[in-house]
Amino acid sequence: MTKEFEKLIREIGDCKSKLDEDRLIEKQIIILKKFTKKKKIKPKQQSELVLRLLFCQLLGHDVSFAHILAINSSQESNLFYKFIGYLAASIFISTNEDLQLLMINSIQKDLKSDKTLAISIALTTITKIITVDMIPAVLSNVLILLKHQEPLIRKKALAVMYTFLKQSPESILKYQKDFELMLDDKDISVTGVALDLFLFISKKKPKTIKHLVVSFVEILNLIISGKLPLEYDYREIHAPWIQIKLLKILSYLGQDDPNTSREIYQVVQLVLKQSEIGFINGVFAGHAIMHECIKTITKLYPSTKLLELASIAAGRFVTSYSNNLKYLGITALTDLVLVYPEATNKHQIIIVDCLEDSDETLKRRTIELLFRITNKSNISFIVEKMLSYLKTQKDKKYKTSLVSRILKLAEEHGTNIKWYILTINKILQIFGDLVTHDIVYNIMKLISEGSLLEDEEDEEDEEDEEDEENGKKGSQKTKYGGNTALKIFSVDIYSEIISLKRPYPNILYQISLWVVGEYSYLCSNFTTEETMINIVDLINAFYISDESRAMAITALTKMVSHSGKYLEQIDTIIQKYSTSRNTDIRQRCFEMKGILKLPNIIDKILPLDSINADIEIDPNLGFLNEFVENSLKNGCKKYISKEERIKMENELQLGMNENKKKSKELRFEAYQPNNTQQSSTWRIPQQNIYEQEINKNQITNTIELEDSISLKVSGISQRWTENGYSGFKENEPKNIENQTEKMEEKDTSDDLNQYNNLGDNNNNNNDDDDDDDDDNNDNLNNNNLNNQNFNHKNEKILEVKSFRFNRIGSKGPMLEEGQKTNEKILNNDNNNNTTTGQQKPPKTEEELKREKTVNALFNGAGSVRTSRKKSKSQRINFNSKHITKNTIEKNLEKTENLINLGSEKN
Amino acid sequence: MIKFILIVNKLGQTRLAQYYTTGLSINKRVALENEITRRCLSRKDKECSFLEFRDLKVIYRRYASLFFLVGVDEEENELGILEFIHCLVETLDRYFENVCELDLMFNIDKAYMILDEMALNGNIIETNKKNIIAPLHIIDQVSKKLK
C-alpha cells in the first residue's frame, strides 16, 4: 500500500461533511485523470489506482473515464491484480454497458483456468455483469463447471446459472435435470444455491417441479434433525437460511394444491415446533423460521390445525416486547386474517395499541391490518383511531391514499347513514384538500335519495311523527316524497357548517351549499333568512374559492325561488359579482337576476327537490319551432345544415371551373367588402355561400372583378405579382347599397372586431382598420387617399375576417333555427337585415324578456355551446345581452357614440 | 431477494455498497443512499429494525459507529436478513479481528470479497464462515508474495 492511497483513505475518513468529501474526491479525480493518460502503468500501481477509483465511485462520483484501467487489471496474470480488476469492473460495469463486451474475453479465458480461485472470481463477475446476449458465450463453460470437484466452484457455477435463468428462463430451463442432481450434492451449501434456482422456478412454473416436493421435504427433515456439519449451525439453529428457502419453495408448490399441501403439513408443523428452540436464547433466527412457517401456512391449502398453530405463533409475536417481533406479528396477522379471520380476535386491543407506538413502520403495518379486520361492529372505533393517526402524518401522498381508503371503508362497513355523513364531514373538515370529487357526488346522491338503512327505520318513523306535528313540514314531506328525515338532518348540519364561518376546505362548503340550496326549506335550526345572510357572508369571505362562490350564488338563487324571500344583501352581492373576473360567477349572477324577474315561471325553473326528477330533453329544440316559423314568416332565411353548405360550396367551386364568367361574378360578390372596407363582411359570405344568389347586375367594374378572382383563388400572397401589387386601385368605387348599410351594421362590425381582437396577432392592424372604417363612413374622400399599403393591409384583414366568419359557422342561419344563442337573432333584428331587405316587426318588451330567460337557462346548462367556441360566443353573448337589454334606440345611440369615438381617434 | 447491501457510518458516509439490481445511475444511487441513511439514522433504538421505503423494505442493524443496511423486496424474510447482517459482521470480525470502520476502508477489496462469498444475485449463498474465508486466505497469500 502506497502512501498516497493511505493518505486518501485517511482523508476520506476525516471528512466531516459531504461537502468536504466532494471537494476531496474532485481533487482526487483530477489526479487520477493524469494517471490514466500515461501509456504504461505498472500492474501494482494500476491495481491501486483502480481501488482509488472504486472509492470515488462509492462516494457518488462518475469515474467512467478510467473504467478501462479496471479491465486492464483484470487481464493481469497475477491473481491478486486480476481479483482487483474483476471486482472494480463488476462494480463499474453496472453503470457502463459498453464495458461488458470487453470483459467477456478474459472471463472466457479464466473459466478454463486451472486455478480454482481464478475460476471462482470469474464466475462471481459473471453474475454481476452478464446480459442476455452474452449467455451463449459462456454457457458451455459454466455447464462443465457445474461438475467441478471443488464445492466452491459448483456453488458459484450454480449461482451463475441462476443469473442466466433470471435473464432468459426459457433457454435455461432445459438444464433443470442438472439442477435436480445438484440437490443431492454432498455439500449442503451447493444444495442451498440449487434451492435458489428452484425457488425461482416454483414461482414461475410450479407445476414442473411438483415431483420434487418429496426431495425438498427430505432435505428439510435432514436439516432439522441436526445431521449437517456444525459449521452450518447459526446460534444453535441448523442452517436457518436454507430452512427459510425450503419453506418458501414449499409454500409456492402447495399453493392452491390440496394434495401437495397435505404432503407438506407435517414437516411444516415440525419445523414450527423446532424453531421455538431459538426463542430461549433470544436470537431472532428461530423467530425468522417461525415467521416463515406462518407465511407458508397461510399460503398452503388451509388446514385448520396448522392455521390455529400459526395464529398462536403470530400471537406470540404480537405480544412480544420487541418492536421487530411486533412488526412481524402484525404483518403475519395481516396475511393470516384473509384465510383465518379468527386469528385476530384475541389481539384486537394490542393491535390498536400499536397505532399509539412511536414507531412509524409499525404503525403503517398496523393500519394495513386494521383495514382488513374492520367490520360493522368495530368500524366507528377503528375509523376514529385511523383519523387520529392520520392527523400525525406529513407525507401528502400517503395521506391522500389513506383518506380515500378510510372513505371507502366507511362506505363499505358503515351501518348508519347519519354516522357516515358525520364521519365524512369530519374527514372533509380536516383533509378536504385530499378528497376527490367523487365523494361529493356520492354524498349528494345519498342525501337526495334519502334512503336510510334498515336499522334506522324506527328512528326515521319517530321523526316522521314529529314532522307531522309541525304541520307545514309534514305536508312538504308528503308533497315531495323521499326521506325527509335524512334531509332535515343533513340540512341542519350543513347550515351549521356554513354559519360557523371557518376556513374549512372548499369541498366541504360546496357540499354544504348544495344541500342548503336544495333543502333550505327543511332546515329546523336556522330560518331561511339567517342562512341566506350566512351564505352572503360566506361569499364575501376570503377563504373560499371562486368555484364555491359560484355555487353559493346558485344556492342563493334556489333559496330565493323556493322561499320567495329576498334580502337586500343579495342585491349587493349580485351587484358586486356581476362584474367578477370569473365568468362562471358572472354568469350565475346574471342567471339569478334573470330568474328573479320572472316570478310566474320560477317554480318551473327551479322546482323543489328536483335532483331526482327525470328531466326530459328535447334534442330537436321543438319548443322553438313556433319561433322559427314566425321568423320565417317575417322573412328570415331558412337554416341550411353544414353538410348542405359544404355541398353547395363544392358545387360553387365546380361551377367556377366550368364557367369562368359566372365564377367571376361570384367572386365579386365575395369580395365586395373590399370596396367598403370590411363593413359588410358580416353578410356577404352568407349570401355567397348559402344563398347562391348571384346578382349579375352588380358587376360594375371589370378591374374589381379580376381583383376578386385573384383573391379568392389563392389568397392574398398572389396579389403581389412580379410587377408589384396587382390589386392597387386609385379610385375605389363605392357600393352605394353598402354605404347605406354601413350605419346600421355598425354594431355587427363592432362585435366582429371584438372577437377578432380576442386572438388576432394583427391587433394593431385591426385597430387601424376600425378607425379607418369609422372614418370612411363619414368621409369618402379619405378612401381615395389610402395608399397601396393600406389597401393591402385592409385586404389581409378582410381575409382573416371572412375566414373567421366561415369558421365560426353561419351564425345567422343557425340562429334562426334557434340552435345558437337567441340574442344573435335579436341582434339581427335590431340591425334590420338590410342585405335581404326584409324587415321584422319590433319585439315587445315581454318577448325580449322571455328570450333572455331562455337564454340564461341555456347558458347555465352550458350544453348548447361547444367548448371550442366558448370564449368567442361568450364574448358575443355578452355584447348581445347588452343589446337585448337596451332598446333599439339605445342601440342606435351607442352606434353614434362609437362613430364619434372613431372619428375622435383619427 | 436482496436489492442492495450498504455499509454507512453514523455520519451517513458510504463505506461499502453492493447493488444486486441494475438500472440505477450513480446520481440515483447517491440520492437513494442519502435518503435511506437519513431515515435509518433518525430512528430510535427501541423502534423496529425495518423501514418501508417506496417498494423496498430496508432492514438495518447498528454496530458501534457502522450501520449495515440491506434493501429487500416484499417477499424476503426480515428476521432472516437481520440475522444475515449479524452473520456478515461475525465473518468480518473473524477475518479482520475486531473489525472497525478503517479496516473496511483500507481493505475494501476484501470486504467486497467476503460479501461476494456470502451473497450473489441477491441470494444468500453461504453462511459457513470457514467456507467464506478460505478463498480470502488464498488471495492474501498471493498478495503477500508480491510484496
Side-chain angles (χ1 to χ4, degrees), chain A residues 155 234-235 252 324 359, chain B residues 48-49 75 83 86 124 126:
Chain A
K155 190 171 71 187
Y234 176 82
R235 307 271 186 109
Y252 280 110
N324 279 348
D359 192 340
Chain B
C48 66
S49 316
E75 196 202 32
E83 289 305 310
H86 192 69
I124 298 164
E126 185 66 270

Side-chain angles (χ1 to χ4, degrees), chain A residues 319-345:
Chain A
T319 53
S320 157
Y321 62 94
S322 151
N323 266 13
N324 279 348
L325 297 182
K326 266 190 191 167
Y327 171 86
L328 291 176
I330 299 279
T331 316
L333 282 176
T334 311
D335 295 332
L336 205 56
V337 282
L338 290 181
V339 278
Y340 190 64
E342 300 91 68
T344 53
N345 287 354

Side-chain angles (χ1 to χ4, degrees), chain B residues 33-50:
Chain B
E33 284 167 23
N34 286 344
E35 179 67 19
I36 291 173
T37 312
R38 194 179 56 74
R39 290 195 187 200
C40 284
L41 293 183
S42 67
R43 287 176 68 82
K44 296 179 192 118
D45 289 346
K46 208 189 146 260
E47 295 177 357
C48 66
S49 316
F50 318 122

Side-chain angles (χ1 to χ4, degrees), chain A residues 657-705:
Chain A
N657 293 337
E658 285 164 12
N659 189 340
K660 241 185 178 179
K661 205 173 182 183
K662 200 182 173 187
S663 65
K664 277 172 191 172
E665 291 157 5
L666 264 174
R667 279 166 196 159
F668 172 68
E669 279 298 306
Y671 284 86
Q672 205 167 7
N674 187 12
N675 301 330
T676 54
Q677 270 87 49
Q678 145 278 336
S679 61
S680 55
T681 38
W682 190 246
R683 289 207 177 71
I684 296 300
Q686 285 179 39
Q687 223 173 2
N688 258 324
I689 301 165
Y690 310 130
E691 294 171 50
Q692 282 183 295
E693 280 175 19
I694 307 134
N695 188 355
K696 291 174 192 177
N697 301 329
Q698 278 187 0
I699 312 162
T700 49
N701 194 325
T702 40
I703 306 165
E704 189 68 37
L705 212 132

